[in-house]
Amino acid sequence: MLVLGVESSCDEMAAAVVRDGREILSSCVHGQADVHGPYGGVVPELASRDHTRAVSRVVANALSEAGLAPEQLDGVAVTAGPGLVGSLLVGLSFGKALAYRMGLPVVGVHHLEGHLAATALAAPDLEPPYVGLVISGGHTALYRIESGRPPRLLGQTRDDAVGEAFDKVARLLGLPYPGGPAVSAAARAGSEVALKFPRPLLDRAGFDFSYSGLKTAVALEVERRGELSEEERADIAASFEAAAVEPLVVKARRALEAEGVGALAVVGGVAANRRLREEMGRAASAMGFRAVFPPSDLCTDNAAMIAAAGSALLARGEAHGLDLNSFSRVPVGSAPWSSGGAA
Ligand SMILES: Nc1ncnc2c1ncn2[C@@H]1O[C@H](COP(=O)(O)OP(=O)(O)OP(=O)(O)O)[C@@H](O)[C@H]1O
Ligand SMILES: [Mg+2]
């Protein structure tokens, strides 16, 4: 089964072709760092306008890199939510129009279920049950993953997402957008024990996270010091990164124990973080669990993960009608988009 994936929930316009839900034939991503960089964060109106310019070129590139004509596709999978509605609508409308023109089934995919599906691409041999840690710009959550069932939420952030904290700290430190990779690079020259930043909820039972207190602690420290030297900037970045990563490792370990499963998949943009990969890798060796980290280009937003998630739905006979709509906020497992009608 050849499925075209289309993803435009935030500031990446992406298209990809995946065979049988596992094999990536092409994956094209058009980023917008140049559009949003000057503002230090995503400007929704500019994001959707750029998507409109890019969408047909990105989809055409994905098809030509896969060596396919649209007639050879078996279905279209498109992100329906959550995300920025203006951005979502561009990919959704294009995907539906293509499906309509070619007489193909179209299926709406939940963006986080897409991130989780990156696991099937990176580790096709991994069989559920396993624990999924989704850490991205908008989410920080632990799920139990079972075959044929929606992911079950175990815990999530009560305020900011961890990626959002990386982005805000980058701005406080005068580092460029996107913030996560910039903070991580700065941290390499610093000391993680230079400052003791808070790890909220670390000692509290359960699997919830909190990142707004950490962000505020960094803001107060930066304000107290005024002009920062390179060394101070590196120390703050390293100490922040250590405080951001520790709860992810501790709560993931706790979830694996509580759920009695032996494998963890870490997905979403923050899964690209080097320190997290090292610390989770050490925990996996010490505790004897398997930790799966998809490669970085499958962790940040991409359409291969959407095609993989959509392939599983299409293989089960799920398709949505052409009234398929986009939603800005929608919890995993309760997608409100219509089901059952073929395109
Ligand atoms: N190496 C890294 N270290 C830490 N954070 C990183 C790294 N690389 C990317 N990030 C962070 O990942 C986030 C982007 O990830 P992703 O594209 O999955 O999020 P999103 O799509 O914006 O949010 P969501 O998936 O929740 O809708 C940003 O917050 C970015 O700073
Ligand atoms: Mg994302």
Side-chain angles (χ1 to χ4, degrees):
M1 182 168 56
L2 294 166
V3 172
L4 172 76
V6 181
E7 153 66 40
S8 67
S9 65
C10 190
D11 60 337
E12 271 96 14
M13 181 70 239
V17 180
V18 167
R19 195 201 313 266
D20 298 333
R22 305 249 149 160
E23 187 193 349
I24 301 171
L25 302 190
S26 66
S27 181
C28 301
V29 181
H30 167 80
Q32 300 182 344
D34 53 333
V35 175
H36 306 292
Y39 303 94
V42 177
V43 183
E45 182 75 16
L46 297 182
S48 38
R49 287 172 190 228
D50 195 74
H51 286 329
T52 304
R53 276 192 293 273
V55 60
S56 53
R57 176 170 49 82
V58 175
V59 170
N61 285 348
L63 286 168
S64 85
E65 278 183 28
L68 293 173
E71 302 72 59
Q72 292 170 278
L73 293 171
D74 297 300
V76 177
V78 55
T79 308
L84 303 169
V85 165
S87 286
L88 286 163
L89 285 172
V90 178
L92 186 74
S93 300
F94 195 94
K96 289 203 298 185
L98 183 69
Y100 175 66
R101 172 68 182 81
M102 305 312 300
L104 295 169
V106 62
V107 70
V109 172
H110 191 289
H111 182 73
L112 291 199
E113 292 182 27
H115 274 301
L116 286 162
T119 310
L121 295 168
D125 62 317
L126 178 68
E127 294 294 338
Y130 59 87
V131 169
L133 173 63
V134 183
I135 40 177
S136 59
H139 296 85
T140 307
L142 280 160
Y143 293 94
R144 181 185 172 96
I145 310 298
E146 298 267 10
S147 303
R149 279 195 224 162
R152 181 162 61 79
L153 184 67
L154 302 173
Q156 63 183 328
T157 184
R158 296 186 182 178
D159 38 61
D160 292 354
V162 61
E164 189 181 351
F166 268 94
D167 293 332
K168 285 179 178 166
V169 165
R171 230 175 301 169
L172 289 167
L173 296 179
L175 295 168
Y177 168 88
V183 170
S184 190
R188 292 180 71 170
S191 161
E192 71 200 58
V193 292
L195 291 135
K196 184 76 184 150
F197 287 129
R199 277 95 163 136
L201 303 184
L202 192 64
D203 300 322
R204 198 86 61 84
F207 310 109
D208 281 356
F209 302 91
S210 167
Y211 281 97
S212 76
L214 172 58
K215 171 199 68 190
T216 305
V218 175
L220 291 173
E221 189 63 34
V222 170
E223 195 180 295
R224 193 178 67 75
R225 292 180 185 231
E227 188 81 10
L228 296 177
S229 68
E230 275 308 307
E231 197 183 336
E232 285 179 304
R233 185 174 286 117
D235 281 346
I236 294 173
S239 302
F240 159 75
E241 188 176 47
V245 163
E246 190 180 345
L248 300 174
V249 178
V250 169
K251 303 263 163 146
R253 272 175 25 195
R254 213 179 273 169
L256 285 162
E257 274 170 358
E259 293 297 314
V261 299
L264 171 78
V266 190
V267 300
V270 184
N273 184 267
R274 237 173 55 106
R275 186 188 179 95
L276 174 71
R277 287 178 179 240
E278 285 167 7
E279 292 202 6
M280 202 67 94
R282 271 197 291 276
S285 310
M287 275 180 66
F289 65 87
R290 179 177 178 191
V292 173
F293 280 90
S296 297
D297 57 347
L298 288 178
C299 287
T300 47
D301 283 352
N302 67 89
M305 67 185 195
I306 302 302
S311 298
L313 296 171
L314 289 167
R316 290 210 297 266
E318 282 197 37
H320 299 130
L322 287 174
D323 58 347
L324 174 63
N325 203 355
S326 64
F327 293 84
S328 60
R329 287 170 183 275
V330 42
V332 167
S334 59
W337 36 84
S338 63
S339 182

